[in-house]
Each structure stands twice: as structure tokens, then as C-alpha cells.
Amino acid sequence: MQSLIGTGVALVTPFKKDYSVDVNALKAIVNYQVDNGIDYLVVLGTTAESATLSKIEKELVIETIIEANKGRLPLVLGVGSNNTQEVVEELKTRDFSAFVAILSVSPYYNKPTQEGIYQHFKAIAEAAPIPVILYNVPGRTSSNMLPSTIIRLANDFKNIVAVKEAAGDIVQAMKIIKDKPNHFLVISGDDMITLPMILAGGSGVISVIAEGFPKHFSEMVHLGLNKKVEEAYKIHYLLAEAIDMIFEQGNPAGIKEVFKAVGLSESTVRLPLVNVEENLANRLNDFVNKIAKM
């Protein structure tokens, strides 16, 4: 899966001030990624506020991104739920011809055992017509998919090709990298430790910060993949302040404030999320202006 090596971004869903999906802004955001070095796009991930989108809106987002992308970058579709059968049904009925893989989150809220997580992804792997990227994000799911479970799935199902590892634990990531089969990719889901993970043997990132600063972050990832450590860390430390800020008051409220500062979209989010406070908005705007002058 060479198309999944490098920098992927978890696209936001921009909203107008009336909370409707802003199709024109979404097209502009896609073009911004393509024009600034991003390697692939992730559609309807957590950052897309997909939990607050209706079925009709989800289809609108998918169609808009496919149209705007025009085949220029590989696309990954978020297909996940804490209802295994619901995911399986979508895998059997949706047209995946525009996508190279699906990204499927570990079941949230239910708090399954490791065997339950394994059986969930076994059902998905057996139903999926395209490759599967596991998504481990215990801060949102309330359960950690252990390295042993990830490795077991990677060995048992050839179409489970990668994990987006977002536990924020570099030691856990290194355990997966150490024991994974050769074909399996370990992709960072945590912007702050992306570079260390790549240098330890990871394959890249599915990022939030990168969609706000695609040129800089993708350059850092590519430098890391080529083991140009000092040059890569210069960019890491340049962006570290912004990485902290965009998550300070929740995702995607922070990154949407960056897009507002860049001039690509409004910063509107849907409840239960709210916009960042004025102080943080000002700090993000100042950072955007600083980067623009460099």
C-alpha cells in the first residue's frame, strides 16, 4: 500500500454560519491539500464531525471530495461504528470504487475485550472489498487496542494493511513496529509524536495539523522518511506550538480556526462542540501570520 505512505489528512467538514455544509469551502480545502504536498485524503473521519452529519450530508461530503479531488490523490473513507453489523452492511452495499482503503475505528462506548475487538475487525475484514486500516484511539473509544491484538489481526487478514495508532504512546507504537509483518504499515494518529514514530519505523501520519499547514508538515514527514533527522526536527519544533493549540479546546474547533485565519472557511462547528475562545483564536491567527511570513 505505497499510497498510504507519507502524509494523509483527516479532512474537516466546513459549515456555513447557518450550520449547513459549505460545499465550496470543502472544495477549496481539498485543493489546498493537493497543491501543498499532501499524499492522501481521509474522508469522514472523526475530524469531519461525522457523528453530527446526516446520511444525506455524508453522501454530499463524499461526492464533493471525489469531485474536487479529480483522482489526483488517493482517498480513504472512514467506515466505523460500535455496531459491528452496521459496518458490515455498509461494506456490502457501498460503492468503494473511488477509495483505496477504509479507516475503521475500534468500537467505542461498548468497551469490548481484546477478543471482542478482534472479532469485530475479523467481521469487517471478511466483508471489506478494499483494504482496511485499523484505528486505535483510546482517548475517544475508552478502550485500548493492544499491540498483541493489532499484530494478530495483521497476521490473520491480508487485507488489514495498516493501523492508525493514536494512543499517544511511543512505546506502544514501537512494540507494534517491532512485531508487525512486513506488509503492515504503522501510521501515526498523533501529530506531536509523528516524527519519532516515523524514525522508529512508522510509515507516516493521518494528521489534523497537516491540513492547516500542509506544505510544512508534509515536508517534515518526507524528511523523516528519508532519515534527514535534523532538518525534519526543525519543522517539528516550528509547528509544535500550533499542534498544542489546535487540540487545546477540542478537535476540530482548533483546526477550523486555522482555516478561518487562512481564509478557506468559517470556523463553525456543530454542537456539542463549540468554537474556541477568543484568546486561543487570536493566538492561532498570530501563528498563521507568522508562518505566512517565513
Side-chain angles (χ1 to χ4, degrees), residues 23-186:
V23 169
N24 289 331
L26 182 54
K27 291 177 180 177
I29 289 169
V30 169
N31 286 324
Y32 189 63
Q33 309 310 310
V34 175
D35 294 342
N36 284 282
I38 294 303
D39 297 302
Y40 62 98
L41 305 174
V42 178
V43 183
L44 293 182
T46 307
T47 303
E49 293 175 79
S50 45
T52 70
L53 297 175
S54 69
K55 288 184 178 180
I56 292 173
E57 287 173 328
K58 287 179 180 179
E59 296 307 317
L60 175 62
V61 168
I62 291 170
E63 291 168 8
T64 300
I65 293 171
I66 291 172
E67 179 187 344
N69 182 50
K70 293 181 170 62
R72 291 175 291 176
L73 295 181
L75 300 179
V76 173
L77 182 64
V79 183
S81 173
N82 59 342
N83 180 340
T84 307
Q85 191 56 41
E86 182 179 272
V87 180
V88 168
E89 285 302 312
E90 181 169 0
L91 292 172
K92 289 179 177 179
T93 56
R94 177 176 290 284
D95 177 10
F96 289 98
S97 58
F99 298 94
V100 299
I102 65 164
L103 175 67
S104 197
V105 68
S106 186
Y108 44 86
Y109 190 78
N110 310 53
K111 292 188 177 181
T113 63
Q114 294 301 304
E115 183 61 26
I117 293 171
Y118 176 87
Q119 293 297 332
H120 172 83
F121 282 113
K122 177 178 184 288
I124 288 172
E126 290 173 344
I130 59 174
V132 177
I133 306 169
L134 310 173
Y135 182 13
N136 184 38
V137 57
R140 290 184 179 272
T141 63
S142 297
S143 65
N144 185 24
M145 183 161 40
L146 295 178
S148 57
T149 302
I150 293 169
I151 299 305
R152 183 183 172 198
L153 286 163
N155 282 319
D156 288 355
F157 302 98
K158 295 298 183 185
N159 64 334
I160 295 181
V161 298
V163 61
K164 178 184 177 184
E165 175 52 42
D169 184 342
I170 190 65
V171 175
Q172 176 161 301
M174 287 192 291
K175 288 179 180 178
I176 302 168
I177 291 167
K178 171 181 171 290
D179 294 331
K180 71 178 185 68
N182 289 334
H183 76 278
F184 191 76
L185 306 180
V186 180

Side-chain angles (χ1 to χ4, degrees), residues 10 12 46-47 135 137 140 164 166 188-194 205-213 217 239-258 273 276 280 283-284:
V12 301
T46 307
T47 303
Y135 182 13
V137 57
R140 290 184 179 272
K164 178 184 177 184
S188 174
D190 187 315
D191 288 332
M192 191 63 84
I193 62 172
T194 290
V205 64
I206 294 175
S207 174
V208 177
I209 192 69
E211 64 182 315
F213 305 96
F217 204 82
L239 294 177
E241 176 188 1
I243 294 171
D244 279 338
M245 284 194 290
I246 65 164
F247 294 108
E248 185 177 316
Q249 293 177 18
N251 180 48
I255 195 64
K256 283 193 166 183
E257 199 65 45
V258 170
L273 301 181
V276 302
L280 178 55
R283 284 185 281 136
L284 284 165

